[in-house]
Short mmCIF file of all heavy atoms in Angstrom, two decimals:
data_model
loop_
_atom_site.label_atom_id
_atom_site.label_comp_id
_atom_site.label_asym_id
_atom_site.label_seq_id
_atom_site.Cartn_x
_atom_site.Cartn_y
_atom_site.Cartn_z
N VAL A 1 0.82 -1.22 -0.01
CA VAL A 1 0.01 0.01 -0.02
C VAL A 1 0.81 1.25 0.01
O VAL A 1 0.52 2.21 -0.79
CB VAL A 1 -1.00 -0.05 1.15
CG1 VAL A 1 -1.67 1.33 1.33
CG2 VAL A 1 -2.03 -1.14 0.95
N PRO A 2 1.92 1.37 0.79
CA PRO A 2 2.71 2.62 0.76
C PRO A 2 3.29 2.99 -0.58
O PRO A 2 3.62 4.14 -0.80
CB PRO A 2 3.81 2.38 1.84
CG PRO A 2 3.26 1.33 2.70
CD PRO A 2 2.39 0.49 1.85
N GLN A 3 3.38 2.01 -1.47
CA GLN A 3 3.87 2.26 -2.82
C GLN A 3 2.87 2.93 -3.76
O GLN A 3 3.30 3.40 -4.82
CB GLN A 3 4.44 0.98 -3.43
CG GLN A 3 5.58 0.35 -2.66
CD GLN A 3 5.95 -0.97 -3.32
OE1 GLN A 3 6.23 -1.05 -4.48
NE2 GLN A 3 5.95 -2.04 -2.48
N LEU A 4 1.65 2.95 -3.34
CA LEU A 4 0.62 3.63 -4.17
C LEU A 4 0.79 5.10 -4.06
O LEU A 4 1.00 5.68 -2.94
CB LEU A 4 -0.82 3.22 -3.69
CG LEU A 4 -1.11 1.70 -3.87
CD1 LEU A 4 -2.46 1.39 -3.25
CD2 LEU A 4 -1.09 1.31 -5.32
N ASN A 5 0.73 5.82 -5.16
CA ASN A 5 1.03 7.23 -5.22
C ASN A 5 -0.07 8.12 -4.60
O ASN A 5 0.24 9.23 -4.16
CB ASN A 5 1.26 7.65 -6.67
CG ASN A 5 2.53 7.08 -7.25
OD1 ASN A 5 3.45 6.74 -6.54
ND2 ASN A 5 2.53 6.99 -8.57
N ASP A 6 -1.25 7.70 -4.67
CA ASP A 6 -2.45 8.51 -4.34
C ASP A 6 -2.90 8.15 -2.92
O ASP A 6 -3.09 7.02 -2.57
CB ASP A 6 -3.48 8.24 -5.41
CG ASP A 6 -4.79 8.94 -5.13
OD1 ASP A 6 -4.86 10.16 -5.47
OD2 ASP A 6 -5.73 8.30 -4.66
N SER A 7 -3.18 9.20 -2.08
CA SER A 7 -3.64 8.96 -0.73
C SER A 7 -4.99 8.29 -0.72
O SER A 7 -5.32 7.49 0.15
CB SER A 7 -3.64 10.23 0.09
OG SER A 7 -4.53 11.15 -0.46
N TYR A 8 -5.84 8.66 -1.65
CA TYR A 8 -7.15 7.99 -1.76
C TYR A 8 -6.99 6.49 -1.96
O TYR A 8 -7.57 5.65 -1.28
CB TYR A 8 -8.02 8.56 -2.89
CG TYR A 8 -9.24 7.68 -3.18
CD1 TYR A 8 -10.39 7.79 -2.42
CD2 TYR A 8 -9.18 6.74 -4.19
CE1 TYR A 8 -11.49 6.97 -2.65
CE2 TYR A 8 -10.28 5.89 -4.46
CZ TYR A 8 -11.41 5.96 -3.65
OH TYR A 8 -12.45 5.17 -3.90
N ALA A 9 -6.13 6.13 -2.92
CA ALA A 9 -5.85 4.76 -3.22
C ALA A 9 -5.28 4.04 -2.04
O ALA A 9 -5.67 2.87 -1.72
CB ALA A 9 -4.93 4.61 -4.41
N ARG A 10 -4.35 4.67 -1.33
CA ARG A 10 -3.77 4.00 -0.13
C ARG A 10 -4.85 3.73 0.92
O ARG A 10 -4.91 2.61 1.47
CB ARG A 10 -2.71 4.88 0.48
CG ARG A 10 -1.43 4.91 -0.38
CD ARG A 10 -0.28 5.59 0.38
NE ARG A 10 -0.51 6.97 0.67
CZ ARG A 10 -0.24 8.02 -0.15
NH1 ARG A 10 0.31 7.78 -1.36
NH2 ARG A 10 -0.50 9.26 0.20
N ASP A 11 -5.75 4.66 1.15
CA ASP A 11 -6.82 4.44 2.15
C ASP A 11 -7.83 3.44 1.64
O ASP A 11 -8.25 2.49 2.39
CB ASP A 11 -7.53 5.77 2.46
CG ASP A 11 -6.67 6.76 3.28
OD1 ASP A 11 -5.56 6.29 3.81
OD2 ASP A 11 -6.91 7.94 3.31
N TYR A 12 -8.22 3.54 0.40
CA TYR A 12 -9.27 2.67 -0.22
C TYR A 12 -8.76 1.20 -0.19
O TYR A 12 -9.47 0.28 0.24
CB TYR A 12 -9.62 3.09 -1.59
CG TYR A 12 -10.56 2.14 -2.30
CD1 TYR A 12 -11.90 2.16 -2.02
CD2 TYR A 12 -10.05 1.23 -3.20
CE1 TYR A 12 -12.76 1.27 -2.65
CE2 TYR A 12 -10.89 0.33 -3.87
CZ TYR A 12 -12.24 0.38 -3.58
OH TYR A 12 -13.09 -0.53 -4.18
N TYR A 13 -7.53 1.01 -0.68
CA TYR A 13 -7.00 -0.39 -0.76
C TYR A 13 -6.63 -0.96 0.64
O TYR A 13 -6.81 -2.18 0.83
CB TYR A 13 -5.86 -0.50 -1.75
CG TYR A 13 -6.38 -0.46 -3.15
CD1 TYR A 13 -6.23 0.67 -3.92
CD2 TYR A 13 -7.15 -1.51 -3.71
CE1 TYR A 13 -6.76 0.79 -5.20
CE2 TYR A 13 -7.69 -1.43 -4.96
CZ TYR A 13 -7.52 -0.29 -5.70
OH TYR A 13 -8.09 -0.20 -6.96
N THR A 14 -6.32 -0.10 1.58
CA THR A 14 -6.15 -0.64 2.94
C THR A 14 -7.47 -1.12 3.51
O THR A 14 -7.55 -2.16 4.10
CB THR A 14 -5.57 0.48 3.88
OG1 THR A 14 -4.27 0.95 3.36
CG2 THR A 14 -5.41 0.06 5.27
N GLY A 15 -8.54 -0.36 3.20
CA GLY A 15 -9.87 -0.84 3.58
C GLY A 15 -10.23 -2.11 2.89
O GLY A 15 -10.77 -3.09 3.51
N LEU A 16 -9.97 -2.21 1.59
CA LEU A 16 -10.30 -3.38 0.82
C LEU A 16 -9.57 -4.62 1.39
O LEU A 16 -10.13 -5.73 1.47
CB LEU A 16 -10.03 -3.17 -0.62
CG LEU A 16 -10.57 -4.28 -1.56
CD1 LEU A 16 -12.05 -4.12 -1.72
CD2 LEU A 16 -9.87 -4.18 -2.88
N ILE A 17 -8.30 -4.49 1.72
CA ILE A 17 -7.53 -5.55 2.22
C ILE A 17 -8.14 -6.08 3.51
O ILE A 17 -8.31 -7.28 3.72
CB ILE A 17 -6.05 -5.16 2.44
CG1 ILE A 17 -5.37 -4.91 1.07
CG2 ILE A 17 -5.27 -6.22 3.23
CD1 ILE A 17 -4.06 -4.11 1.16
N HIS A 18 -8.49 -5.15 4.42
CA HIS A 18 -9.08 -5.56 5.69
C HIS A 18 -10.46 -6.18 5.46
O HIS A 18 -10.83 -7.22 6.10
CB HIS A 18 -9.19 -4.35 6.64
CG HIS A 18 -7.89 -4.00 7.22
ND1 HIS A 18 -7.05 -3.06 6.67
CD2 HIS A 18 -7.18 -4.48 8.30
CE1 HIS A 18 -5.97 -2.92 7.34
NE2 HIS A 18 -6.04 -3.74 8.38
N GLU A 19 -11.28 -5.64 4.55
CA GLU A 19 -12.55 -6.22 4.22
C GLU A 19 -12.41 -7.66 3.76
O GLU A 19 -13.12 -8.55 4.21
CB GLU A 19 -13.31 -5.36 3.20
CG GLU A 19 -14.62 -5.96 2.78
CD GLU A 19 -15.33 -5.21 1.68
OE1 GLU A 19 -14.77 -4.18 1.20
OE2 GLU A 19 -16.40 -5.69 1.21
N ARG A 20 -11.55 -7.88 2.83
CA ARG A 20 -11.41 -9.22 2.22
C ARG A 20 -10.87 -10.22 3.29
O ARG A 20 -11.23 -11.36 3.28
CB ARG A 20 -10.53 -9.17 0.99
CG ARG A 20 -11.26 -8.52 -0.17
CD ARG A 20 -10.45 -8.51 -1.40
NE ARG A 20 -11.21 -8.20 -2.56
CZ ARG A 20 -10.86 -8.42 -3.82
NH1 ARG A 20 -9.72 -9.01 -4.09
NH2 ARG A 20 -11.67 -8.11 -4.80
N GLN A 21 -9.98 -9.74 4.12
CA GLN A 21 -9.41 -10.62 5.18
C GLN A 21 -10.59 -10.94 6.18
O GLN A 21 -10.70 -12.08 6.65
CB GLN A 21 -8.23 -10.01 5.89
CG GLN A 21 -7.56 -10.92 6.90
CD GLN A 21 -6.93 -12.16 6.29
OE1 GLN A 21 -7.59 -13.26 6.25
NE2 GLN A 21 -5.71 -12.10 5.83
N GLY A 22 -11.37 -9.97 6.49
CA GLY A 22 -12.53 -10.18 7.38
C GLY A 22 -13.51 -11.23 6.82
O GLY A 22 -13.97 -12.16 7.51
N LYS A 23 -13.84 -11.15 5.54
CA LYS A 23 -14.73 -12.09 4.88
C LYS A 23 -14.06 -13.45 4.92
O LYS A 23 -14.74 -14.47 5.11
CB LYS A 23 -14.99 -11.67 3.45
CG LYS A 23 -15.86 -10.48 3.32
CD LYS A 23 -15.96 -10.10 1.82
CE LYS A 23 -16.79 -8.91 1.57
NZ LYS A 23 -16.85 -8.58 0.12
N ALA A 24 -12.76 -13.50 4.68
CA ALA A 24 -12.10 -14.79 4.65
C ALA A 24 -12.12 -15.46 6.02
O ALA A 24 -12.25 -16.69 6.13
CB ALA A 24 -10.62 -14.62 4.22
N ARG A 25 -12.00 -14.67 7.08
CA ARG A 25 -12.09 -15.25 8.43
C ARG A 25 -13.43 -15.85 8.68
O ARG A 25 -13.55 -16.93 9.33
CB ARG A 25 -11.79 -14.15 9.45
CG ARG A 25 -10.48 -13.45 9.40
CD ARG A 25 -9.34 -14.32 9.80
NE ARG A 25 -8.04 -13.66 9.57
CZ ARG A 25 -7.28 -13.13 10.53
NH1 ARG A 25 -7.68 -13.15 11.77
NH2 ARG A 25 -6.11 -12.58 10.22
N LEU A 26 -14.47 -15.24 8.18
CA LEU A 26 -15.82 -15.85 8.31
C LEU A 26 -15.91 -17.18 7.63
O LEU A 26 -16.50 -18.13 8.14
CB LEU A 26 -16.87 -14.90 7.76
CG LEU A 26 -17.31 -13.75 8.68
CD1 LEU A 26 -18.31 -12.84 7.94
CD2 LEU A 26 -17.93 -14.24 9.95
N ILE A 27 -15.36 -17.24 6.43
CA ILE A 27 -15.46 -18.48 5.64
C ILE A 27 -14.63 -19.57 6.29
O ILE A 27 -15.08 -20.74 6.33
CB ILE A 27 -15.00 -18.23 4.19
CG1 ILE A 27 -16.05 -17.35 3.51
CG2 ILE A 27 -14.72 -19.53 3.42
CD1 ILE A 27 -15.60 -16.84 2.15
N ARG A 28 -13.45 -19.27 6.83
CA ARG A 28 -12.65 -20.30 7.43
C ARG A 28 -13.21 -20.79 8.79
O ARG A 28 -12.96 -21.91 9.23
CB ARG A 28 -11.17 -19.87 7.56
CG ARG A 28 -10.53 -19.77 6.17
CD ARG A 28 -9.03 -19.80 6.32
NE ARG A 28 -8.48 -18.70 7.03
CZ ARG A 28 -8.16 -17.49 6.56
NH1 ARG A 28 -8.39 -17.24 5.25
NH2 ARG A 28 -7.65 -16.60 7.33
N ASN A 29 -13.93 -19.92 9.41
CA ASN A 29 -14.72 -20.30 10.64
C ASN A 29 -13.99 -21.07 11.71
O ASN A 29 -14.40 -22.08 12.19
CB ASN A 29 -16.00 -21.06 10.17
CG ASN A 29 -17.00 -21.11 11.29
OD1 ASN A 29 -17.04 -20.24 12.16
ND2 ASN A 29 -17.83 -22.12 11.26
N TYR A 30 -12.85 -20.58 12.12
CA TYR A 30 -12.09 -21.16 13.21
C TYR A 30 -12.56 -20.53 14.50
O TYR A 30 -13.27 -19.55 14.51
CB TYR A 30 -10.58 -20.95 13.02
CG TYR A 30 -10.26 -19.48 12.82
CD1 TYR A 30 -10.03 -18.64 13.89
CD2 TYR A 30 -10.19 -18.92 11.57
CE1 TYR A 30 -9.74 -17.34 13.74
CE2 TYR A 30 -9.92 -17.55 11.41
CZ TYR A 30 -9.69 -16.77 12.49
OH TYR A 30 -9.44 -15.49 12.35
N PRO A 31 -12.16 -21.03 15.68
CA PRO A 31 -12.56 -20.42 16.96
C PRO A 31 -12.11 -18.97 16.99
O PRO A 31 -10.92 -18.68 16.79
CB PRO A 31 -11.87 -21.27 18.02
CG PRO A 31 -11.64 -22.60 17.36
CD PRO A 31 -11.40 -22.30 15.93
N GLY A 32 -13.00 -18.07 17.27
CA GLY A 32 -12.72 -16.62 17.31
C GLY A 32 -12.76 -15.93 15.94
O GLY A 32 -12.63 -14.74 15.90
N ALA A 33 -13.10 -16.63 14.89
CA ALA A 33 -13.13 -16.08 13.51
C ALA A 33 -14.22 -14.92 13.45
O ALA A 33 -13.90 -13.95 12.82
CB ALA A 33 -13.46 -17.12 12.51
N ARG A 34 -15.30 -15.13 14.14
CA ARG A 34 -16.34 -14.09 14.01
C ARG A 34 -15.96 -12.80 14.66
O ARG A 34 -16.22 -11.71 14.18
CB ARG A 34 -17.66 -14.63 14.61
CG ARG A 34 -18.16 -15.85 13.76
CD ARG A 34 -19.47 -16.42 14.37
NE ARG A 34 -20.54 -15.48 14.52
CZ ARG A 34 -21.31 -15.10 13.51
NH1 ARG A 34 -21.11 -15.58 12.32
NH2 ARG A 34 -22.26 -14.22 13.75
N PHE A 35 -15.18 -12.90 15.78
CA PHE A 35 -14.62 -11.64 16.41
C PHE A 35 -13.59 -11.04 15.50
O PHE A 35 -13.55 -9.80 15.37
CB PHE A 35 -14.01 -12.04 17.80
CG PHE A 35 -15.04 -12.50 18.80
CD1 PHE A 35 -14.82 -13.71 19.47
CD2 PHE A 35 -16.24 -11.90 19.03
CE1 PHE A 35 -15.68 -14.18 20.40
CE2 PHE A 35 -17.16 -12.41 19.94
CZ PHE A 35 -16.89 -13.56 20.63
N ASP A 36 -12.72 -11.86 14.99
CA ASP A 36 -11.69 -11.34 14.06
C ASP A 36 -12.32 -10.64 12.91
O ASP A 36 -11.91 -9.58 12.47
CB ASP A 36 -10.75 -12.45 13.57
CG ASP A 36 -9.82 -13.02 14.62
OD1 ASP A 36 -9.78 -12.44 15.70
OD2 ASP A 36 -9.21 -14.03 14.35
#
C-alpha cells in the first residue's frame, strides 16, 4: 500500500484488504473467527 502514489488509493485499498481478510475469516470459521 505505501507504494501507491495517491492517498485515496492508499486508504481505499487498505480498507479493501481488511474487508477481504474479514470475509475470509468468516469463511474459514475457526474459533474466534467471528470476532476477528
Side-chain angles (χ1 to χ4, degrees):
V1 170
Q3 297 176 55
L4 296 174
N5 293 335
D6 177 79
S7 63
Y8 167 84
R10 287 190 298 272
D11 292 343
Y12 175 79
Y13 286 106
T14 299
L16 190 74
I17 292 164
H18 286 94
E19 177 186 356
R20 288 181 166 198
Q21 186 64 266
K23 289 177 183 178
R25 302 286 175 105
L26 280 177
I27 290 170
R28 288 200 302 272
N29 197 26
Y30 55 86
R34 294 176 61 77
F35 297 130
D36 290 350

